[in-house]
Amino acid sequence: MMSIGNITSAKGAANYYTKADYYSKEEPNVDIKSNWYGKGAELLGLSGEVDMKMFSNILEGNLPNGKSLGRMLGGEFVHKPGWDLTLGAPKSVSLLVLLGGDKDLLEAHHIAVKEAMDYIEQHVLVSQTMTDEGHAFYDVPNSIVGQFTHSTNREQEPHLHTHNVLMNAASTSEEEWRSVYSRPIYNNKMLAGLVYKSKLAELSKELGYTPNWNSEKGTFELDEISPEILKANSQRRVAIEQYAEEHGLETAEEMAEAAMKTRASKKDTPTQEIVDNWEQLAKEQGMDYEKIVAEKSKNRKGISVDKKQNED
């Protein structure tokens, strides 16, 4: 699925995303590096790992080409920083990547994330301005995105997800940069989430897994992990659904409200302790995720995708 969060502080965002939050059983001290993404980032010469000073500057509306975005409001210059478009993997995928060490499945997640972000960039992003005739809209298919991959939810359960920090700056060309009109992003978040899930399911199947779609929820899990194991590793989801049931919440917007109401404070627990807790629970459940991955990898030929896409 894709969730959208407003970024209200450039400094606060820089501090939050600077902290590493990626743990796995196979490599407990690994940190998946951040990266720039989007055609707008390319136009500005931004590539590789995200420089947090540059990240903060762009969130404030100050682009590396010397241009600035914002407006005067009440005698003060203001600029909305941007949005956090988070794409999270199904629980079964998270378990097989983080506890099973399936690097191909991790790659599949990243490819699916990029496909969803490409969809938003190419078909959703617009800028709004006022003319004598009223509102006018311009396509701005050149976005600037800072990507950060994390691996836990608020309960420190395995949850593979990527934060795509979409800057409030996009362009019609190399010279013309505008602020982004956000309503179409919200209107298309379900579709963008489906783009991500569809691609991830397709690639999971290529890797030997069996995606099983839930038509009502519009998502899937891999048959290789039982529903009982999924639930035991999804106490965060259980809490959200319980709150929603108690308060009669059903729609996507209402479920987002339930998620916020049940949101625990971010915990600061040593990496090894998190991994040890995952391993202990897997042992109690009689699960050997590495064995499942090894079995699926025997005759695997890899993922049939454009390698350049994965290198962008």
Side-chain angles (χ1 to χ4, degrees), residues 95-147:
L95 292 170
L96 289 164
V97 169
L98 301 172
L99 281 156
D102 195 330
K103 293 181 180 180
D104 290 333
L105 197 54
L106 175 59
E107 179 187 9
H109 163 76
H110 287 309
I111 292 170
V113 167
K114 290 177 179 179
E115 183 136 327
M117 294 309 297
D118 286 347
Y119 172 81
I120 290 173
E121 181 178 64
Q122 296 166 16
H123 303 289
V124 177
L125 291 189
V126 297
S127 179
Q128 177 186 232
T129 190
M130 286 297 297
T131 68
D132 293 339
E133 289 74 30
H135 292 283
F137 298 93
Y138 298 86
D139 291 333
V140 283
N142 298 288
S143 64
I144 310 171
V145 179
Q147 295 184 316

Side-chain angles (χ1 to χ4, degrees), residues 148-249:
F148 306 84
T149 296
H150 292 173
S151 65
T152 61
N153 60 19
R154 293 269 167 172
E155 300 301 325
Q156 295 186 336
E157 297 169 317
H159 177 49
L160 175 65
H161 60 285
T162 296
H163 296 275
N164 300 278
V165 180
L166 176 67
M167 308 291 179
N168 187 18
S171 71
T172 57
S173 67
E174 189 171 355
E175 296 299 322
E176 187 176 15
W177 292 84
R178 295 176 173 274
S179 296
V180 174
Y181 180 51
S182 64
R183 184 173 297 173
I185 303 173
Y186 285 91
N187 290 344
N188 284 274
K189 75 172 187 176
M190 300 299 289
L191 185 52
L194 185 58
V195 170
Y196 162 77
K197 288 177 286 188
S198 297
K199 188 63 177 182
L200 181 58
E202 173 193 331
L203 296 178
S204 298
K205 190 172 182 179
E206 286 189 25
L207 294 174
Y209 295 107
T210 307
N212 187 347
W213 282 89
N214 182 320
S215 58
E216 290 185 1
K217 296 183 178 180
T219 189
F220 73 92
E221 292 289 355
L222 303 177
D223 275 349
E224 285 70 19
I225 309 298
S226 72
E228 293 74 22
I229 295 299
L230 295 176
K231 185 174 182 179
N233 286 277
S234 306
Q235 293 309 300
R236 171 74 177 131
R237 171 51 53 183
V238 170
I240 293 172
E241 292 178 348
Q242 182 177 345
Y243 181 93
E245 183 177 353
E246 291 173 353
H247 294 80
L249 308 179

Side-chain angles (χ1 to χ4, degrees), residues 16-145:
Y16 177 81
Y17 296 110
T18 295
K19 184 179 179 181
D21 183 15
Y22 186 86
Y23 319 104
S24 71
K25 176 181 177 181
E26 184 183 48
E27 299 173 284
N29 296 313
V30 73
D31 174 25
I32 289 185
K33 298 300 182 183
S34 59
N35 62 276
W36 292 107
Y37 195 70
K39 293 180 180 178
E42 292 179 10
L43 289 175
L44 294 172
L46 301 173
S47 63
E49 189 174 352
V50 174
D51 177 272
M52 297 313 292
K53 183 177 181 180
M54 181 67 70
F55 178 77
S56 183
N57 285 341
I58 298 176
L59 285 174
E60 290 173 349
N62 301 313
L63 305 184
N65 60 5
K67 295 183 181 296
S68 295
L69 298 174
R71 61 192 178 97
M72 294 300 296
L73 184 64
E76 184 180 357
F77 189 77
V78 297
H79 175 73
K80 179 177 177 56
W83 305 269
D84 181 345
L85 280 53
T86 304
L87 288 157
K91 181 62 68 172
S92 52
V93 172
S94 294
L95 292 170
L96 289 164
V97 169
L98 301 172
L99 281 156
D102 195 330
K103 293 181 180 180
D104 290 333
L105 197 54
L106 175 59
E107 179 187 9
H109 163 76
H110 287 309
I111 292 170
V113 167
K114 290 177 179 179
E115 183 136 327
M117 294 309 297
D118 286 347
Y119 172 81
I120 290 173
E121 181 178 64
Q122 296 166 16
H123 303 289
V124 177
L125 291 189
V126 297
S127 179
Q128 177 186 232
T129 190
M130 286 297 297
T131 68
D132 293 339
E133 289 74 30
H135 292 283
F137 298 93
Y138 298 86
D139 291 333
V140 283
N142 298 288
S143 64
I144 310 171
V145 179

